[in-house]
Amino acid sequence: MAEFKLGRIRFIWKGDWSTSTVYYKDDIVRNGGNTYVCVQGHTAPTLFSTSQSTYWNKISDGTEWKSDWTTSTLYKVN
C-alpha cells in the first residue's frame, strides 16, 4: 500500500516573509500587507521583489501600518 504525507496537501501558513528562509510549494506568507502563495520551492533572496514573479502568486491585498509618515522610512508601492 502506498504511503502519503498529508502535511503538504494543504496550504501552510509561514507568517511574515523572511530572507534566507526555505519555502516550499503551497507555503503562505505575508509581505507588505499582502498575502502570497509559493508556487515553486526556493530559498528566499535578500529582497522579496527579486523572486516575486517567479516564486509567488498574490492571493489577497492587504494593508500594513507604518505609523506616521517620515522621510527616513522605506515604503512599498501601494
Side-chain angles (χ1 to χ4, degrees):
M1 179 179 236
E3 283 190 28
F4 297 96
K5 292 184 180 184
L6 296 177
R8 298 306 301 179
I9 290 178
R10 59 184 172 81
F11 293 125
I12 306 293
W13 175 252
K14 294 294 189 170
D16 290 332
W17 179 88
S18 178
T19 300
S20 301
T21 301
V22 176
Y23 291 107
Y24 299 97
K25 186 177 187 290
D26 295 332
D27 283 347
I28 304 289
V29 299
R30 178 180 43 234
N31 183 267
N34 298 320
T35 306
Y36 297 86
V37 61
C38 181
V39 294
Q40 181 179 342
H42 67 286
T43 300
T46 303
L47 297 173
F48 182 80
S49 60
T50 60
S51 67
Q52 182 177 352
S53 62
T54 304
Y55 299 112
W56 300 99
N57 283 342
K58 184 164 51 168
I59 55 176
S60 70
D61 287 323
T63 59
E64 182 178 30
W65 177 250
K66 290 287 194 178
S67 191
D68 294 333
W69 183 88
T70 63
T71 57
S72 61
T73 300
L74 176 65
Y75 296 98
K76 297 178 181 104
V77 175
N78 295 323

